Amino acid sequence: MADNNAADHEQSFVESVKEKITETFHKDDSASSDSDNDANKSSPVSDVKDKIYRLFGREKPVHKLLGGGKAADIFLWKDKKVTAGVVGFATLIWVLFELVEYHLLTLICHTLILALAVLFLWSNAASFINKSPPKFPDVVLPEDIVLGVANAFRLEINRALAILKAIASGKDLKAFLGAVAGLWVASILGSYCNFLTLFYASFILLHTLPYLYDRYEDKVDAFGEKAEAEIKKQYAVFSVKVLSKVPVGALKAKFA
């Protein structure tokens, strides 16, 4: 009887070990299958993210497109005090020149008169009030900054001239029509406001539109996708009805 009990005990022990091993393998298989399912599920999501429409084919964040430095922080209102100061100063200049009708030379002269008067009185009154006179630092315009700004302007002007040359060459009709439309809109805006007001409006838009786009990026991209599809549709109709009837080949052969 003792031998039978020992055999039964040994057999039950072996069966319990087998059950534990089987459960372990089942858990590993289920975990691997779940991970495979998760991998299969994550790939379509990543594919969808890769295929999300971005305005103007943008691939980088807005902050990177604006340079990624201090200027980008100002445009996107990352440093609200600095941005508010810049916008406030631009608004003050526009109010003085446009609403108050100040002239540039008059403003510079009045500012210099006020600054010189304050510093002159401070320097002479310092001995009477037992305070040190103001220290005037040596203000020198660095040569590298001047050359850097001039070089940046030179590069932008050369780029604009290259674009105008490419448009005027007659190889891209779409670019030509876009340039004519842009200049026509600019001429209409110029008839309603002067250069200072137009510059100020552009300055305010530069500090407003990137911030709004960065905040409402998904909604703007969805609307831009629909608008681009509609524009392409209308351009295709215009190309069939109008552009296809323009004898471009005959003109090229005539002027060749």
Side-chain angles (χ1 to χ4, degrees):
M1 292 293 293
D3 294 334
N4 291 332
N5 291 331
D8 293 335
H9 181 70
E10 183 178 357
Q11 185 176 3
S12 62
F13 175 76
V14 171
E15 289 177 356
S16 64
V17 170
K18 287 182 179 180
E19 289 178 358
K20 289 183 180 180
I21 294 173
T22 304
E23 289 178 358
T24 303
F25 278 112
H26 279 304
K27 288 182 179 179
D28 292 336
D29 292 338
S30 62
S32 61
S33 63
D34 291 337
S35 62
D36 292 335
N37 292 331
D38 293 336
N40 293 330
K41 291 180 181 178
S42 62
S43 58
V45 173
S46 61
D47 293 339
V48 170
K49 288 183 178 179
D50 293 337
K51 295 179 181 179
I52 291 178
Y53 174 86
R54 293 302 180 191
L55 200 63
F56 305 116
R58 177 179 61 84
E59 297 180 356
K60 298 180 180 179
V62 181
H63 191 270
K64 291 292 183 181
L65 291 177
L66 294 175
K70 189 67 177 178
D73 293 339
I74 293 175
F75 291 141
L76 297 177
W77 291 78
K78 300 295 184 182
D79 193 342
K80 295 183 179 180
K81 292 182 179 179
V82 176
T83 307
V86 171
V87 174
F89 179 75
T91 304
L92 177 63
I93 294 298
W94 179 76
V95 169
L96 288 175
F97 287 124
E98 188 64 23
L99 300 183
V100 184
E101 295 184 353
Y102 238 111
H103 297 286
L104 179 61
L105 183 59
T106 304
L107 179 63
I108 293 175
C109 292
H110 287 178
T111 304
L112 290 176
I113 289 172
L114 180 62
L116 290 175
V118 170
L119 293 175
F120 181 81
L121 294 175
W122 186 6
S123 300
N124 286 277
S127 58
F128 295 101
I129 59 177
N130 295 324
K131 288 189 176 181
S132 60
K135 296 180 180 180
F136 301 102
D138 295 331
V139 180
V140 178
L141 195 62
E143 183 180 359
D144 55 348
I145 295 179
V146 177
L147 294 178
V149 172
N151 188 43
F153 274 108
R154 181 183 66 84
L155 292 176
E156 294 300 327
I157 292 174
N158 288 336
R159 188 178 302 172
L161 292 175
I163 294 174
L164 292 176
K165 180 182 177 181
I167 294 174
S169 62
K171 297 179 180 179
D172 192 347
L173 182 59
K174 187 177 180 180
F176 170 74
L177 294 176
V180 171
L183 293 174
W184 181 67
V185 172
S187 66
I188 294 176
L189 293 176
S191 63
Y192 287 99
C193 58
N194 56 20
F195 178 76
L196 179 61
T197 301
L198 185 61
F199 180 80
Y200 173 71
S202 302
F203 185 83
I204 295 299
L205 290 176
L206 187 61
H207 288 78
T208 305
L209 293 181
Y211 169 74
L212 294 176
Y213 175 67
D214 185 61
R215 188 171 182 178
Y216 305 103
E217 179 179 356
D218 295 333
K219 296 181 180 179
V220 175
D221 287 338
F223 178 79
E225 184 177 10
K226 296 179 181 178
E228 183 179 358
E230 185 64 24
I231 290 173
K232 288 182 178 179
K233 180 180 177 182
Q234 296 299 328
Y235 178 77
V237 174
F238 178 75
S239 178
V240 172
K241 293 184 178 181
V242 179
L243 298 182
S244 60
K245 298 179 181 180
V246 177
V248 180
L251 292 175
K252 287 184 178 180
K254 183 177 179 180
F255 291 101

